[in-house]
Amino acid sequence: MGANIFQTKSLEQLTGDIEKGKGLKRSLTALDLTLLGIGAIIGTGIFVLTGTAAANQAGPAITISYIMAGLACGFAALCYAEFASMIPVAGSAYTYAYATLGEVIAWMIGWDLILEYAVGSMTVAIGWSGNFQRVLLSAGITLPTWMQAGPGILPGAVINLPAVIIVLLMMILLVVGVRESARFNAAMVAIKILAVLIFLGVGFSHVDSANWQPYTPYGWSGIMGAAAVVFFAYIGFDAVSTTAEEAKNPQRDLPIGIIASLGICTFLYIAVAAVLSGIVPVTQYRSLEGSLPGAPIQTAEQVTRFLNAPVGYVLGTLHIGWADALVSAGAVAGITSVLLVMLMSQPRIFFSMSRDQLLPAGISKIHPKFGTPYITTIITCVVVALVAGLTRIEVVGEMTSIGTLFAFVVVCAAVMVLRIKRPEVHRPFRAPGGNLTPILGVISCAYLMLSLAVLTWVRFLVWLDIGMLIYWFYSRTHSPLYNPALEDKKSSSEKNSDFLTMWGGLGLFNGFWITAVGLMTVLGINSEATAKWHEVHIDPMQSVMHGVEDLVVSGVLFMMGRPKKTA
């Protein structure tokens, strides 16, 4: 192809971009990076998604879900640490894929990360609004209904105004500077850890073991489905790697920040999940009554309040006013730090892709005074604010998880590829266990992906397909790896062959995952309660058949487009 879509960008090219003055300002220490990781990890998972996943997928077994997600995350974290110490530039998984698997895979990951961080920020903003409104409620203040939530979520609701406002405030802070943002984040981390400890201290004495029965109401598939959802809350270490270009000593500090933040937070997640599910019967707050036929369920209003702010809601049921107020305020602080880190990460993915000319070069401009990627920050925050003001938290939460998991699968695979292709490269940190660690990372993250709802898969594949259209018609021809002279020499049939290869490969990708998702239910690994096939009006066996057909047709197109060997 004129643009060799599987051509990689060398490690020397990647680090050379910084040396040529295209880099960001280095100002973050190991402590800053660890606190940034904790800032992203402790927050939405504890204060929001614990309730959503427990009520709708795992029940009291949400503790097992956190353990399973933590194990998968641990494998991926070790792979991220190895890459981040070798390639200390902005871009995270996008940059790692560019160095190992080729431009087209890097584009796919970059496009996926745009989804991950943008939709994740929307989830966090909605959760922040729920906890903020609870703080106001404890002070006797109730916002007008029209500004409490998006349309259709509550009667009379028009827009989630607090969610919109907090995103725009974070935008201003991020434009001013990353060092100032890190100081703000450190303060928020201290407040929310205190809030978590207060919740554990107060809540532990009110745990009723009867609320843990039945422990696995949704079965094993529900536990793994919940693990896939709460995996969203573990992307803090991923966010640390996006700031690699701003670390003072990235080879030493990045592995410390990534692994330390993950270890500290996993313990706290499991503890909070156990206490929360022991205080109230969490399945009574599920979104759909039919997911557990015959089981008790709360009113729609109570379900909404629990799902948006489960920790504060649970303390409210204990009528301990001071604890409710303090923990809700801590949750607001905690979720604020998550939002800060996620909104910091997304523009840096845009920045890296723009610097590589896969997106318009103009948006990678750095502010002359503050040294921040201000254009991408403003674009990201405006879009996030608008969507967060109009959307349900359950929808955006699952979309973030699938994007995160896909990025982790690619990073784990890329570690193995680079070890084979560039064994001589110095690795300040090397993931232990040889290739077993990245292999387990690929398997565990792919399994969690396949445990998510089918409609989430549909949205994810459509998003990637849209991204590939943009890549083919814009990014491919603007890439520095593109060779226009070679492209001009091609005949029409050769250009058609390139097109068939590209879209045949995309069809194979879609067909593989469509088939795998269907087989998970056909083989009894997933259940209808967690896969939710009714939402797409198709049964799993039909999905398998369509996926196989897609594989066959796409395979034929791919082979037709491959260059013919000459005698």
Side-chain angles (χ1 to χ4, degrees), residues 314-362:
V314 165
L315 284 177
T317 64
L318 301 178
H319 306 293
I320 305 176
W322 66 268
D324 184 4
L326 283 177
V327 172
S328 294
V332 170
I335 297 175
T336 301
S337 66
V338 177
L339 185 60
L340 173 72
V341 176
M342 299 197 77
L343 289 174
M344 178 189 295
S345 303
Q346 160 70 304
R348 282 151 181 78
I349 303 297
F350 265 134
F351 172 82
S352 295
M353 297 176 75
S354 173
R355 186 170 58 185
D356 291 332
Q357 300 176 42
L358 300 184
L359 290 173

Side-chain angles (χ1 to χ4, degrees), residues 327-504:
V327 172
S328 294
V332 170
I335 297 175
T336 301
S337 66
V338 177
L339 185 60
L340 173 72
V341 176
M342 299 197 77
L343 289 174
M344 178 189 295
S345 303
Q346 160 70 304
R348 282 151 181 78
I349 303 297
F350 265 134
F351 172 82
S352 295
M353 297 176 75
S354 173
R355 186 170 58 185
D356 291 332
Q357 300 176 42
L358 300 184
L359 290 173
I363 64 175
S364 63
K365 290 181 180 178
I366 299 174
H367 197 283
K369 179 179 179 181
F370 302 125
T372 56
Y374 70 105
I375 295 178
T376 54
T377 298
I378 292 171
I379 293 172
T380 297
C381 292
V382 169
V383 172
V384 168
L386 290 175
V387 178
L390 304 171
T391 312
R392 286 180 176 272
I393 194 168
E394 301 96 312
V395 174
V396 288
E398 289 201 9
M399 287 301 297
T400 309
S401 290
I402 197 169
T404 306
L405 287 162
F406 181 60
F408 290 179
V409 167
V410 172
V411 168
C412 292
V415 163
M416 292 186 285
V417 171
L418 194 60
R419 286 178 177 179
I420 295 170
K421 292 174 65 175
R422 297 291 301 273
E424 80 287 355
V425 175
H426 175 58
R427 291 167 169 81
F429 174 85
R430 188 182 183 94
N435 282 333
L436 180 62
T437 295
I439 288 172
L440 289 174
V442 169
I443 293 172
S444 57
C445 292
Y447 181 56
L448 289 175
M449 284 179 72
L450 292 169
S451 299
L452 286 164
V454 178
L455 186 57
T456 300
W457 269 100
V458 172
R459 292 169 177 147
F460 174 66
L461 293 176
V462 168
W463 174 260
L464 290 185
D465 290 349
I466 292 172
M468 293 311 297
L469 284 170
I470 296 173
Y471 174 78
W472 183 261
F473 291 108
Y474 177 85
S475 305
R476 178 181 64 96
T477 57
H478 288 76
S479 165
L481 305 181
Y482 183 72
N483 188 339
L486 181 60
E487 189 73 12
D488 291 340
K489 293 179 181 179
K490 287 187 174 184
S491 64
S492 297
S493 62
E494 288 175 319
K495 292 179 179 179
N496 289 336
S497 294
D498 288 349
F499 185 81
L500 289 175
T501 301
M502 181 69 185
W503 294 104

